[in-house]
Amino acid sequence: MPAPSPLPHLEWRPAVRHAKDRRSFLKSTTIAGTAITLSAMQYSRVYGANERLQIASVGTGGKGWSDLLGVAASPNVDVVGLCDIDSSAKHLGQAAEKFSSARQYDDWRRLLDESGDVQGVLVSTPDFMHAPISLPAMQLGKHVFCQKPLTHTVMEARQMRKAAKKHGVVTQMCNQIQSHSAYRTAVHLIHEGMIGKVKEVHSWQGGQPSWPRHIPRPSGNDPVPSHVRWDLWQGVAMERPYKIGMYHPFNWRGWQAYGTGQLGDFGCHILDPVFKALQIESPTKLTAEAPELMPETWTDRSTVRYEFPGTKYTAESTLPVTWYDAVGVSPPRERLGHIPVDAKLPGAGSVLVGEKGSLVIPHVAMPQLYMADQTLAENLPVISSVDHYTQWADACRGGAETTSHFDYAGPLTEAVLLGTIGIRFPGQELHWDTDSMQITNHAEAQRWITKPYRKGWEPAWV
Ligand SMILES: NC(=O)c1ccc[n+]([C@@H]2O[C@H](COP(=O)([O-])OP(=O)(O)OC[C@H]3O[C@@H](n4cnc5c(N)ncnc54)[C@H](O)[C@@H]3O)[C@@H](O)[C@H]2O)c1
């Protein structure tokens, strides 16, 4: 078994971060000590009621479009920068049309280079580029709104959490269902003790993904469309030929180099009310069941059994949490506490089995609470929704704290990504020591805590 690759020292800072043609960005980050201190101080001050927040968006198509509209819906936000590697209508085009006074970029490094007037950055790119873009943005003192999962590796998630704290910026991961009445109500019911202390959790996603799973890399290459900057799309990942419809847009999810599979895609949503309600953070061990992975794609089904240290909301000193994903999957009925065997379960969601009852948290619908006698509780309290997008904008302007800040989203993402490491080693129990960031009993698994980066694109670690 090969020795684990050493983790980069957390204080290590690369001398050269970006390609040579980005001289001015290099210049601004070499003097980062001064620049960051100033900008963090400027932007963390309390804003006046009429002061505006200037934002830039990286990845304006796909989910990025609704992220941009969601944040820009805040009455005090100006969109001043737009960046997308695809200039066609569904990507940069529609954003440029709507926010016509914003500067346009195809390279996020240039956007950051010219970001003197920008206080907040939205990062809505594929997973593997979240940290490489967010980290230098935070180092420049920008507030960051970043898509889920927060990062592509556990190391990156830890770095994002550290960077947000170090630079004092406002952060929010976009697991926006957290702010929906359905999830807020579920968390409230647990905190109110409606099912008593929780004994075990089952979470699942039984939907049919449309992206490639369990296939080999296609051979050959297709011509790159003139509106796509394939070199920039690949960013920190190792270069490979362009193939139509295989990676960009959307289908990157199924590829290990870019996405995080079904657990990574949905874990930060479906496990979120479990983490929020029970205040769990880092698992101590996990074991996955999954077919052997193809070299480059993610699996089409997995089960990951985690063990977390107990909290004041759990019945025991440890809490078992099991994740299931496969088309049509749901947890074993005999494990579901007070839920009648003929009760219809949602296609995706969680069941929290408590001492006094069991809570079903559908993804996404209002929770259902089964009492000890297996009857459904009625007239439950309802907690109203808040706006996950404007919450971040408001917090940047001195309002109340965000709820999916990186201090919360970092550990949630780490747990999800540890599960994806487990999928690489089916049937093998992995022991996790969060303080040292070590999978203490498995050197080969430990190597997946971080990953190699394309030369010249190494992230700017804290
Ligand atoms: N919170 C949610 O409900 C939700 C829903 C869908 C997607 N997502 C997340 O949003 C992110 C994007 O997913 P998607 O489905 O929209 O992907 P996508 O591929 O459809 O869209 C990504 C957009 O980013 C652009 N882009 C890619 N690389 C870029 C780069 N280096 N610089 C600038 N622009 C770049 C693409 O051209 C495209 O416009 C992912 O992290 C995904 O997990 C979240």
Side-chain angles (χ1 to χ4, degrees), residues 359-417:
L359 188 71
V360 183
I361 310 177
H363 180 78
V364 179
M366 292 309 280
Q368 298 158 322
L369 196 160
Y370 289 90
M371 306 307 294
D373 63 359
Q374 299 201 338
T375 55
L376 262 178
E378 291 177 2
N379 300 320
L380 292 172
V382 173
I383 306 299
S384 54
S385 296
V386 293
D387 190 312
H388 203 72
Y389 303 88
T390 56
Q391 183 188 67
W392 174 75
D394 292 346
C396 294
R397 300 180 61 258
E401 200 187 15
T402 52
T403 52
S404 203
H405 47 75
F406 294 176
D407 216 28
Y408 169 80
L412 170 59
T413 301
E414 283 189 22
V416 165
L417 297 179

Side-chain angles (χ1 to χ4, degrees), residues 192-406:
E192 289 297 300
M194 302 284 281
I195 61 167
K197 298 204 182 226
V198 173
K199 296 192 288 189
E200 59 186 88
V201 177
H202 300 269
S203 298
W204 70 100
Q205 171 51 283
Q208 167 89 61
S210 60
W211 32 267
R213 291 166 299 148
H214 216 63
I215 60 166
R217 190 199 286 205
S219 57
N221 63 302
D222 295 326
V224 180
S226 59
H227 53 86
V228 172
R229 289 289 309 271
W230 181 235
D231 53 336
L232 294 179
W233 188 94
Q234 295 186 84
V236 302
M238 302 304 165
E239 290 164 278
R240 70 172 66 180
Y242 178 80
K243 289 293 289 180
I244 294 171
M246 195 52 72
Y247 312 116
H248 165 73
F250 190 83
N251 284 334
W252 48 265
R253 281 169 170 74
W255 297 91
Q256 295 169 28
Y258 310 131
T260 44
Q262 188 76 316
L263 172 54
D265 206 20
F266 280 95
C268 288
H269 283 311
I270 294 172
L271 291 170
D272 168 54
V274 176
F275 274 62
K276 265 282 174 213
L278 303 180
Q279 296 180 359
I280 54 175
E281 270 202 8
S282 299
T284 46
K285 48 185 165 179
L286 62 113
T287 310
E289 292 157 26
E292 191 179 340
L293 277 184
M294 298 288 286
E296 298 202 45
T297 40
W298 287 108
T299 174
D300 59 0
R301 60 189 182 281
S302 73
T303 301
V304 182
R305 299 178 199 285
Y306 295 96
E307 186 175 290
F308 287 85
T311 68
K312 65 179 177 179
Y313 295 107
T314 63
E316 307 287 345
S317 58
T318 58
L319 175 77
V321 175
T322 308
W323 166 268
Y324 314 79
D325 69 75
V327 177
V329 78
S330 61
R333 300 301 296 224
E334 69 275 11
R335 300 292 326 166
L336 300 186
H338 313 88
I339 299 173
V341 284
D342 56 350
K344 188 168 167 13
L345 291 175
S350 296
V351 168
L352 280 63
V353 180
E355 290 173 323
K356 297 193 307 196
S358 293
L359 188 71
V360 183
I361 310 177
H363 180 78
V364 179
M366 292 309 280
Q368 298 158 322
L369 196 160
Y370 289 90
M371 306 307 294
D373 63 359
Q374 299 201 338
T375 55
L376 262 178
E378 291 177 2
N379 300 320
L380 292 172
V382 173
I383 306 299
S384 54
S385 296
V386 293
D387 190 312
H388 203 72
Y389 303 88
T390 56
Q391 183 188 67
W392 174 75
D394 292 346
C396 294
R397 300 180 61 258
E401 200 187 15
T402 52
T403 52
S404 203
H405 47 75
F406 294 176

Side-chain angles (χ1 to χ4, degrees), residues 27-230:
K27 200 168 136 204
S28 65
T29 50
T30 344
I31 55 159
T34 314
I36 288 165
T37 311
L38 279 178
S39 50
M41 275 166 55
Q42 275 166 0
Y43 301 138
S44 63
R45 72 197 156 90
V46 177
Y47 275 66
N50 294 319
E51 278 186 86
R52 304 192 64 78
L53 178 77
Q54 319 240 66
I55 62 158
S57 159
V58 185
T60 56
K63 182 69 183 77
W65 177 235
S66 68
D67 294 349
L68 182 56
L69 295 180
V71 174
S74 177
N76 295 299
V77 166
D78 295 322
V79 180
V80 297
L82 299 169
C83 174
D84 202 294
I85 58 82
D86 188 330
S87 59
S88 64
K90 282 188 174 167
H91 298 271
L92 188 66
Q94 62 186 348
E97 193 179 323
K98 179 159 179 68
F99 302 102
S100 54
S101 61
R103 300 186 295 280
Q104 296 168 28
Y105 302 90
D106 58 9
D107 188 334
W108 57 271
R109 296 168 301 178
R110 191 181 291 279
L111 181 151
L112 287 185
D113 208 6
E114 298 172 2
S115 64
D117 59 343
V118 174
Q119 289 111 42
V121 177
L122 316 187
V123 180
S124 309
T125 60
D127 304 351
F128 73 107
M129 289 304 294
H130 291 176
I133 298 169
S134 300
L135 286 169
M138 288 191 279
Q139 288 174 358
L140 290 170
K142 315 297 179 196
H143 306 303
V144 170
F145 180 96
C146 181
Q147 263 304 333
K148 61 78 209 160
L150 192 58
T151 61
H152 194 226
T153 69
V154 173
M155 175 67 176
E156 289 178 345
R158 189 64 63 95
Q159 287 286 314
M160 293 276 262
R161 186 183 189 185
K162 282 175 69 103
K165 187 168 182 194
K166 177 172 178 182
H167 301 299
V169 292
V170 175
T171 55
Q172 179 92 306
M173 180 171 78
C174 189
N175 49 347
Q176 73 281 12
I177 297 147
Q178 179 183 97
S179 296
H180 190 283
S181 173
Y183 275 12
R184 279 163 57 85
T185 299
V187 170
H188 176 77
L189 295 175
I190 298 297
H191 287 177
E192 289 297 300
M194 302 284 281
I195 61 167
K197 298 204 182 226
V198 173
K199 296 192 288 189
E200 59 186 88
V201 177
H202 300 269
S203 298
W204 70 100
Q205 171 51 283
Q208 167 89 61
S210 60
W211 32 267
R213 291 166 299 148
H214 216 63
I215 60 166
R217 190 199 286 205
S219 57
N221 63 302
D222 295 326
V224 180
S226 59
H227 53 86
V228 172
R229 289 289 309 271
W230 181 235

